[in-house]
Amino acid sequence: MKKFFEEFRKFISKGNVMDMAVGIIIGGAFTSIVSSLVNDVINPILGLFGGMNFDQLTWNITGDVTLYYGKFITAVVNFLIMALIVFLMVKVMNKAMSRIQKTEPPKTPTTKKCPFCKSEIAIEATRCPHCTSQLEEQD
């Protein structure tokens, strides 16, 4: 049991878990903004054309059973707007990351392959530590 809690502590202290937690919290707050946008701005504008707000659309099946399909339509619109915004954010982040990666200077190699045994050796080596072959100086 002690080993289990030790593994859990290592897992929870990793940066990825913390990043995910922050993302979930921000996503929850962002969901309320998108819901407000749909409910308070988009639905009333669409209501100008349809004569009513989507949230008010219902179907009374029997006396006590009513389907609120307008709320479902609103949820679908919320989802589509949220998906579009997340898509745009990921697209912008990918573009920014590709620019950052392009501006990094190329790394100088620290190893090379032995021409005789094909083992990986230090770039400064003059003799291969694996096959003991004498290596030629390269300019």
Side-chain angles (χ1 to χ4, degrees):
M1 192 63 139
K2 185 177 179 182
K3 184 178 178 183
F4 172 80
F5 285 116
E6 180 66 25
E7 287 179 40
F8 179 72
R9 185 187 63 78
K10 287 180 183 177
F11 169 76
I12 204 72
S13 65
K14 287 184 179 176
N16 294 344
V17 174
M18 295 302 176
D19 293 344
M20 184 178 65
V22 169
I24 289 171
I25 292 168
I26 291 174
F30 191 68
T31 300
S32 64
I33 292 171
V34 171
S35 295
S36 176
L37 173 70
V38 170
N39 293 332
D40 302 331
V41 177
I42 293 175
N43 280 348
I45 291 172
L46 293 176
L48 290 174
F49 302 109
M52 69 181 329
N53 194 337
F54 280 130
D55 283 346
Q56 298 169 354
L57 297 175
T58 61
W59 178 32
N60 191 350
I61 298 173
T62 63
D64 292 338
V65 179
T66 303
L67 293 178
Y68 296 94
Y69 68 93
K71 291 184 179 186
F72 176 74
I73 293 171
T74 301
V76 169
V77 171
N78 277 349
F79 171 77
L80 292 174
I81 291 173
M82 184 72 88
L84 175 67
I85 291 172
V86 168
F87 170 74
L88 293 174
M89 287 173 50
V90 168
K91 190 171 177 138
V92 167
M93 290 300 293
N94 286 342
K95 191 171 187 176
M97 291 303 291
S98 68
R99 285 185 180 175
I100 289 171
Q101 290 173 351
K102 286 182 182 176
T103 60
E104 290 180 3
K107 294 182 180 179
T108 57
T110 58
T111 61
K112 62 182 178 183
K113 289 209 179 252
C114 172
F116 302 102
C117 69
K118 306 299 182 201
S119 297
E120 195 165 316
I121 57 175
I123 196 94
E124 303 89 21
T126 57
R127 185 176 292 272
C128 178
H130 303 284
C131 69
T132 68
S133 298
Q134 185 71 32
L135 303 175
E136 297 179 12
E137 292 287 327
Q138 296 178 353
D139 292 325

